[in-house]
């Protein structure tokens, strides 16, 4: 699936191209392969979703904190927009699973590390790098959903359909280009992006093993 024109001088696309190997490795993890074949155990999927709900709520909370910080107007508008979007989705997902919150959810180690990395970026880096940290999840899930070969009869076809659509470039492309102009800035962004891509890979990779 194309998410807009590709330009080798474009930060948004350069970050993605540099991490295609992690995307390909993620597509091959047993959890997603069993999802594709339709024989993923239902309880494994439910536990995966519970972990993802915890992620969703915790990142929403961090976005709220980011909106309270001083930053350039365009980054502030980005954070507010992302917060509203995440909050709406988090509230709807909690309601779907009949959950009032996530205080009783214990994150698996890979998810705990993922969220810890977010917090470090939030607390120690400039706001633009928190924006970079958000991008791997938004872009990777669309990419994965479009590459999973599932038929409508597959029990997990709904996950594919729910995640196929989206245009993260509309939120990220100009913002990243405007604020990541130097080699040093791009290198830092590349490190953050790669770290978060690896966290996504590890989350999918461990979601099956944690339930054995």
């Amino acid at each position: 699936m194309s998410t807009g024109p590709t330009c080798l001088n474009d930060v948004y696309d350069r970050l993605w191209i540099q991490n295609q190997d992690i995307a390909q490795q993620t597509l091959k993890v047993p959890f997603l392969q069993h999802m594709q074949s339709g024989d993923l155990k239902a309880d494994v999927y439910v536990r995966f979703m519970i972990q993802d709900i915890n992620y969703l709520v915790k990142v929403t909370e961090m976005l709220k904190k980011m909106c309270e910080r001083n930053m350039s107007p365009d980054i502030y508008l980005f954070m507010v927009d992302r917060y509203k979007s995440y909050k709406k989705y988090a509230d709807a997902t909690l309601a779907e699973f009949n959950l009032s919150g996530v205080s009783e959810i214990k994150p698996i180690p890979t998810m705990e590390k993922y969220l810890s990395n977010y917090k470090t970026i939030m607390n120690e880096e400039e706001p633009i790098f928190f924006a970079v940290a958000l991008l791997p999840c938004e872009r990777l899930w669309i990419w994965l959903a479009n590459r999973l070969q599932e038929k409508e009869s597959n029990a997990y076809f709904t996950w594919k359909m729910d995640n196929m659509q989206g245009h993260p470039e509309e939120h990220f492309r100009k913002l990243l280009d405007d604020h990541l102009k130097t080699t040093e800035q791009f290198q830092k962004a590349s490190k953050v992006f790669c770290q978060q891509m690896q966290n996504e890979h590890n989350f999918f990779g461990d979601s099956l093993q944690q339930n054995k």
Side-chain angles (χ1 to χ4, degrees), residues 20-202:
Q20 275 289 293
D21 57 334
I22 301 177
Q24 294 289 347
Q25 291 164 15
T26 304
L27 183 61
K28 295 176 182 178
V29 302
F31 178 88
L32 287 171
Q33 289 301 303
H34 281 292
M35 181 185 286
Q36 179 172 255
S37 63
D39 62 1
L40 183 70
K41 292 182 179 180
D43 62 327
V44 172
Y45 179 74
V46 169
R47 289 171 188 162
F48 165 81
M49 289 301 300
I50 293 296
Q51 289 294 315
D52 191 52
I53 291 170
N54 183 60
Y55 166 92
L56 182 60
V57 171
K58 295 301 184 182
V59 174
T60 301
E61 292 172 354
M62 284 186 265
L63 277 165
K64 184 177 182 180
K65 291 180 180 178
M66 290 299 298
C67 291
E68 298 169 355
R69 292 176 55 179
N70 292 324
M71 60 190 74
S72 64
D74 57 341
I75 299 180
Y76 173 74
L77 290 175
F78 168 88
M79 294 297 176
V80 170
D81 176 73
R82 294 293 81 205
Y83 169 69
K84 289 179 179 178
S85 177
Y86 272 68
K87 182 70 164 62
K88 181 179 179 181
Y89 186 43
D91 289 347
T93 307
L94 286 169
E96 181 182 354
F97 279 78
N98 295 314
L99 295 171
S100 59
V102 297
S103 60
E104 299 302 316
I105 298 175
K106 181 180 180 181
I108 61 175
T110 48
M111 178 54 67
E112 196 166 26
K113 178 181 179 298
Y114 196 177
L115 294 173
S116 176
N117 288 155
Y118 263 118
K119 290 177 183 177
T120 298
I121 295 165
M122 178 180 69
N123 293 326
E124 298 181 7
E125 302 292 350
E126 297 175 23
I128 187 61
F129 295 106
F130 192 84
V132 172
L134 292 168
L135 180 55
C137 176
E138 296 201 26
R139 191 157 191 189
L140 179 64
W141 281 49
I142 296 171
W143 186 88
L144 291 171
N146 278 274
R147 278 154 184 78
L148 288 176
Q149 303 297 313
E150 296 177 355
K151 298 179 179 179
E152 291 186 29
S153 58
N154 189 316
Y156 303 106
F157 186 74
T158 300
W159 186 93
K160 174 181 172 68
M161 295 302 295
D162 286 348
N163 289 285
M164 283 180 67
Q165 305 302 319
H167 298 280
E169 76 279 2
E170 295 178 358
H171 306 287
F172 289 88
R173 189 184 296 278
K174 186 177 186 305
L175 190 78
L176 300 188
D177 280 344
D178 287 348
H179 290 273
L180 300 171
K181 295 182 178 296
T182 70
T183 299
E184 183 181 359
Q185 287 171 332
F186 179 79
Q187 288 176 343
K188 181 178 284 189
S190 181
K191 181 178 179 181
V192 169
F193 190 92
C194 181
Q195 171 186 268
Q196 298 294 76
M197 283 286 287
Q198 192 63 54
N199 281 329
E200 282 288 332
H201 169 275
N202 293 345

